[in-house]
Each structure stands twice: as structure tokens, then as C-alpha cells.
Amino acid sequence: MRQPCALRTFTAATVGRFSYGIVFLSLMVALSQATGSYAWAGAAVAGFGLSSPFLAPRRARLLDRRGPGGSCRPCRRPMRPCRRH
């Protein structure tokens, strides 16, 4: 954490990953309300959970190839340079 910008990068990455823990619950609630069936919602959430490990390397490759601005429209804004202490 003594490197320049390490704390800022770590904090942003941690906050960005908070949604990973809640995504399955939010999908379950939204889909069960939309379909009226917990069985269909559970099947869809299971499909999402099973497909995520297979899609993650492709998503990472896309980010490596195009950068965050190529795959995420809000990420196209230039970032402020880190101030050195």
C-alpha cells in the first residue's frame, strides 16, 4: 500500500466487487417477482452462476484487448492522474 495510488486503486476495486455478493440475491428476487415462480428464478440464477466462470476469461480478454473504455461507456472518461506524495 506504500506505492503511489495503491490505496486508491485497492479501494475502488473493493467497492466495485461489493456487488458480486449480492447479484444472485437481487436476480432471484427480481426474477421471482417477474415470473411468479421461484423455480424459474432459481433455474435462471443457477444458469447465470454456471456460465459466469466460462465467460469471465472472455470478458478479461476483451478488457485486455480494448481497455476499459472499449467495453464500458462510462469508463471512457479520462482518469485523474494520481498525485505523488
Side-chain angles (χ1 to χ4, degrees):
M1 292 295 176
R2 293 182 183 181
Q3 298 295 322
C5 298
L7 182 61
R8 183 175 81 171
T9 303
F10 178 76
T11 303
T14 301
V15 170
R17 286 179 175 84
F18 280 154
S19 65
Y20 291 162
I22 198 76
V23 70
F24 295 104
L25 178 63
S26 61
L27 276 174
M28 185 70 173
V29 170
L31 292 174
S32 66
Q33 287 181 354
T35 62
S37 169
Y38 282 106
W40 283 107
V45 169
F48 177 76
L50 290 172
S51 67
S52 292
F54 298 107
L55 295 177
R58 288 176 177 80
R59 184 177 56 226
R61 205 171 303 129
L62 175 69
L63 284 169
D64 286 344
R65 207 175 289 146
R66 295 187 181 173
S71 58
C72 173
R73 189 173 300 250
C75 297
R76 291 182 183 163
R77 293 183 303 146
M79 292 183 65
R80 284 187 304 139
C82 183
R83 292 179 287 168
R84 300 232 175 205
H85 297 279

